[in-house]
Amino acid sequence: MLNDWTRIDAYVRQWIDYATDKLRPSARPNLPPTLLTDGDGVLLDFTGRLLERVRDRLPGSKMTRADLNTWRTEEAIGRYHGLPEKDAKKLVYAWLEQESFWVDMDLLHYAQHICGVPMDKVVVTSPWVSCDTWHAHRTKDLRQKLGFDRVVVTDQKHYVFGDVFIEDKWAHLERWLQVWPEGRGVYVLAPYSEPLPAAFASRVWTMTTETAGEVMEEVQKHLQTIARAHPVRP
């Protein structure tokens, strides 16, 4: 008997995953070529804002981006400053719950290259649910600074159709590539990146600050090829 919401959620997700695998369309949907992109770590500088908080709240800290070498930021911050992980986690989560953390976040270098691709673009970003105003500030930055009107907020990103997905977290990109076998990925590399498995190398471009322009040119060519091969029917 399912008697709590956690177990119900897990049960529902299990069946959604089953349906996604069994009912995956055999043909490409009648949609224009679509570029999906993550928000934090690809368009907006989450790491830069986090390091601002580190310097403000931990005086004398010289922590850099290179020191944030794991997705568990509290672990990296605790290790660097000699703090117990539970104390570092409490500190970091307190920052992330503050509205000011999410207000007017800086853009990353990748943003200009991604926005320069003249194709349909959709942001697919995971929510930070403990901050009540996160959604308003995230969508405001994406719309006002970058012109993104379509923003999908979900931590289950593999349910969103697209032809190319730009992401800096391998777990999200891997699951999306598994669900959409014709899709291609762009893996944004950072100090916290996991290795790219060889099995996916032929379907994924890796992107750094230095290669962003070149990679996005290849992405644009790929999307243009799809547009010619699959014109949208009226």
Side-chain angles (χ1 to χ4, degrees):
M1 179 70 180
L2 294 174
N3 56 11
D4 65 77
W5 284 110
T6 301
R7 293 174 64 193
I8 290 173
D9 181 64
Y11 179 79
V12 171
R13 288 188 180 186
Q14 176 183 348
W15 278 100
I16 290 176
D17 283 338
Y18 173 83
T20 301
D21 288 336
K22 295 299 181 184
L23 303 179
R24 183 184 299 136
S26 58
R28 187 182 182 281
N30 185 38
L31 293 171
T34 303
L35 176 62
L36 308 179
T37 178
D38 184 25
D40 295 320
V42 177
L43 299 172
L44 298 167
D45 192 7
F46 174 90
T47 298
R49 179 59 56 85
L50 186 62
L51 287 172
E52 287 177 9
R53 289 294 187 274
V54 168
R55 290 189 289 269
D56 289 344
R57 310 298 165 84
L58 298 171
S61 176
K62 297 182 179 179
M63 193 174 200
T64 67
R65 292 175 188 268
D67 299 310
L68 287 168
N69 54 8
T70 172
W71 272 98
R72 293 173 55 82
T73 54
E74 67 274 13
E75 177 186 317
I77 290 171
R79 183 172 61 244
Y80 184 89
H81 296 94
L83 299 172
E85 186 174 338
K86 65 177 183 178
D87 293 341
K89 182 176 182 178
K90 183 177 179 180
L91 188 66
V92 171
Y93 276 51
W95 299 340
L96 299 178
E97 291 172 0
Q98 296 171 359
E99 180 177 9
S100 59
F101 185 91
W102 305 100
V103 173
D104 194 23
M105 197 171 282
D106 290 338
L107 300 179
L108 285 168
H109 173 73
Y110 307 111
Q112 61 178 309
H113 295 287
I114 294 169
C115 290
V117 177
M119 296 290 177
D120 281 17
K121 293 181 284 290
V122 179
V123 175
V124 185
T125 187
S126 299
W128 191 263
V129 295
S130 64
C131 179
D132 293 338
T133 56
W134 172 89
H135 187 272
H137 290 296
R138 177 53 71 252
T139 53
K140 181 179 179 180
D141 275 349
L142 292 169
R143 286 172 179 163
Q144 292 189 353
K145 295 182 177 183
L146 298 170
F148 280 98
D149 291 322
R150 288 182 293 172
V151 179
V152 177
V153 177
T154 178
D155 60 358
Q156 303 296 304
K157 300 182 181 184
H158 54 282
Y159 298 134
V160 184
F161 168 78
D163 294 288
V164 177
F165 182 25
I166 307 173
E167 174 64 71
D168 67 329
K169 187 169 186 177
W170 175 248
H172 286 313
L173 185 54
E174 179 181 33
R175 183 65 176 126
W176 185 87
L177 290 165
Q178 290 169 341
V179 170
W180 304 103
E182 301 302 317
R184 297 284 302 272
V186 176
Y187 188 26
V188 177
L189 299 181
Y192 49 77
S193 297
E194 300 173 61
L196 171 65
F200 289 92
S202 63
R203 296 178 59 199
V204 176
W205 292 280
T206 55
M207 185 164 71
T208 64
T209 300
E210 292 75 20
T211 64
E214 178 183 346
V215 169
M216 293 316 299
E217 285 181 6
E218 291 300 314
V219 169
Q220 181 171 328
K221 291 177 184 177
H222 176 68
L223 294 173
Q224 288 170 338
T225 299
I226 292 173
R228 289 191 294 269
H230 300 280
V232 176
R233 300 183 299 275

